[in-house]
Amino acid sequence: MIKIGIIGAGRIAQVHARSVSAHSNATLSVVSDPVEQAASALARANGARWTLSADDLIADPEVDAVIICSPTPFHAEQVLACAKAGKPVLCEKPIAMDMDTVDQLEKDLEGLNPTVMMGFNRRFDPSFAKIHSLANEGAAGKIEQVTIISRDPAAPPVEYIATSGGIFKDMTIHDFDTARFFLGDIKTVVAIGQNLDPALKDTGDFDGAVITLTNAEGATATITNSRHCASGYDQRLEVFGDRATLNADNIRPTTVRISNGTVTDGQDPYLDFFLARYEAAYSVELDEFLSAIDEGRKPSPSIEDGRKALELAEAAEKSARTGSIVTL
Ligand SMILES: NC(=O)c1ccc[n+]([C@@H]2O[C@H](COP(=O)([O-])OP(=O)(O)OC[C@H]3O[C@@H](n4cnc5c(N)ncnc54)[C@H](O)[C@@H]3O)[C@@H](O)[C@H]2O)c1
């Protein structure tokens, strides 16, 4: 049984705590959060202890491995502290707010042989993972175009956007990783940012974006993002190859359809936002983390995958601000 500590007790911590509690090879030992009410509520709901200090959690002998769910600016220092303590760590995305911090982290990690997994949960979504394994088996032939649609149901509060690092680091980061999952390393980035939502006009951030990435072979990934979507959490993937097209559509709670005088083939709304839509993915992600620990191997996606996704986010920001094609 692997004893887990969770750092940060907010939205994403809830889903990780549920996955840990439901897992046959893991138990939630300790939760840390500087806000005692958050730490104690999550700990109590899962039969765990709590502390206000991430350092105390990392040093706790009853913690074998750590899941970092704190705000992004704390990720690098907490990954390093886990590595120094010799504890495997699953770190939420993004790895950091900027590349300088990642460079420093990688320097600091040298010689520590750390076990670090990045929380790019979409790789583990059953539909996306099936497309990936079909593509690997050659079902699509040579991949020419990947199309990723990712729209949130509603924009977050303006205060959230101010500290989010911007749409590319906060939201598109998942899609950059998905693009790399299928196409490998990316050579060029072109991004168009949109400012269409009057409520977000003063944030200085984009509320929508279309990004096209190209790899060395000329295959492309096109990502379409929006902070809002009238039809709900819109998550679709298409991989187009010279032998087949592979599609993953939105998921609904049931397959029931209604047809009447005003609508035909009406269906349930899409699963509501990331906690519900990707619940299975978070659970398979945890499986990969725990299996890697048990088998003494490095888990995937790695810290290098975290670095490359962040690099793409910075390139997209530059492209959208300057109107240029950014070559990596
Ligand atoms: N993989 C995904 O689908 C996904 C989804 C949402 C968020 N995230 C990522 O997870 C991280 C947390 O996001 P969230 O939405 O859960 O945020 P949140 O604001 O809901 O929760 C963050 C929690 O961390 C606590 N905290 C603040 N400083 C801390 C510190 N130094 N150490 C420990 N805890 C601290 C806060 O009190 C809060 O309870 C972010 O990096 C975000 O990008 C990933």
Side-chain angles (χ1 to χ4, degrees), residues 6-20 28 31 33 38 42 46 67-72 75 78 90-94 118-122 160 170 174 233 273-279 281-283 285-286:
I6 291 185
I7 299 179
R11 293 183 308 167
I12 197 66
Q14 313 284 331
V15 78
H16 284 304
R18 267 206 307 278
S19 300
V20 169
L28 184 58
V31 173
D33 197 295
L42 188 62
N46 291 277
I67 304 180
I68 296 177
C69 303
S70 55
T72 305
H75 290 181
Q78 291 171 348
L90 168 58
C91 179
E92 264 308 334
K93 50 54 64 173
M118 282 308 302
F120 288 126
N121 55 290
R122 294 184 193 178
Y160 174 90
D170 181 48
H174 280 295
Y233 191 40
F273 219 12
F274 60 92
L275 299 178
R277 170 62 184 80
Y278 289 113
E279 177 128 34
Y282 295 117
S283 158
E285 175 184 72
L286 177 69

Side-chain angles (χ1 to χ4, degrees), residues 118-136:
M118 282 308 302
F120 288 126
N121 55 290
R122 294 184 193 178
R123 290 188 182 211
F124 302 97
D125 173 72
S127 301
F128 299 171
K130 173 140 191 192
I131 290 186
H132 190 257
S133 58
L134 283 169
N136 269 358

Side-chain angles (χ1 to χ4, degrees), residues 135-212:
N136 269 358
E137 290 158 15
K142 192 169 161 30
I143 297 178
E144 297 179 1
Q145 295 170 342
V146 175
T147 304
I148 301 164
I149 294 175
S150 178
R151 300 187 180 107
D152 284 353
V158 166
E159 306 77 59
Y160 174 90
I161 293 200
T163 59
S164 71
I167 193 168
F168 298 117
K169 290 179 184 171
D170 181 48
M171 190 174 164
T172 326
I173 196 94
H174 280 295
D175 309 308
F176 290 133
D177 183 66
T178 304
R180 290 192 59 253
F181 194 36
F182 287 96
L183 296 185
D185 284 345
I186 299 300
K187 291 288 167 215
T188 65
V189 181
V190 186
I192 292 176
Q194 297 172 294
N195 292 103
L196 301 175
D197 183 345
L200 302 185
K201 223 170 183 51
D202 295 335
T203 61
D205 192 17
F206 302 114
D207 51 66
V210 179
I211 308 108
T212 299

